Amino acid sequence: MQALTRIPTTEMEVTSIRLERELKERLKTLSGSQGYQALIRDILWNYVQQRSNDLFTNVSSSDIRATFTATAEREERCSISGRIIRSGEEILLGLTTEGNLVPIHPDSLS
């Protein structure tokens, strides 16, 4: 998945969120040196990208570890070429090195 552009935290809005203690501790463990708040932002941006048809996630073919053949249930945009994949067409789901599944047009890996 494409790295998100970082802006200084001084330009961000402060938001309060309540998390279970165990969830917060697990996020801290998973985040490493990145910090758990940055990890939460990444998780939220990934969610927004997956749910929004207008956002395009760009990856290179070298970011893909494996692919799975499927049928598109809705219109998607290929994460490598940007090409539209229509509902009902064959699609590849690419597993990235970061563990994300991204839509790929079958001709984009050749």
Side-chain angles (χ1 to χ4, degrees):
M1 185 156 282
Q2 174 180 331
L4 299 172
T5 303
R6 300 282 179 213
I7 63 171
T9 55
T10 55
E11 294 181 26
M12 295 180 187
E13 290 188 28
V14 175
T15 301
S16 176
I17 183 172
R18 294 187 185 277
L19 302 173
E20 293 88 347
R21 181 172 284 127
E22 181 184 354
L23 175 59
K24 184 176 176 181
E25 292 306 315
R26 286 179 144 192
L27 287 167
K28 284 181 178 181
T29 301
L30 290 171
S31 67
S33 62
Q34 174 188 20
Y36 80 97
Q37 290 181 350
L39 176 60
I40 290 172
R41 283 192 299 275
D42 284 348
I43 291 167
L44 291 172
W45 273 118
N46 287 339
Y47 179 84
V48 168
Q49 287 180 321
Q50 290 173 2
R51 293 294 191 163
S52 301
N53 290 331
D54 58 335
L55 293 176
F56 169 60
T57 303
N58 189 22
V59 298
S60 72
S61 56
S62 63
D63 294 327
I64 304 300
R65 293 175 22 182
T67 58
F68 311 91
T69 304
T71 301
E73 295 295 326
R74 66 177 192 188
E75 187 173 279
E76 299 282 353
R77 183 175 296 273
C78 175
S79 293
I80 294 176
S81 66
R83 195 168 159 184
I84 296 295
I85 304 163
R86 305 214 185 289
S87 177
E89 289 183 342
E90 182 179 309
I91 187 173
L92 295 175
L93 297 176
L95 178 63
T96 69
T97 53
E98 294 181 359
N100 299 307
L101 283 176
V102 295
I104 300 174
H105 191 281
D107 296 340
S108 296
L109 289 177
S110 46

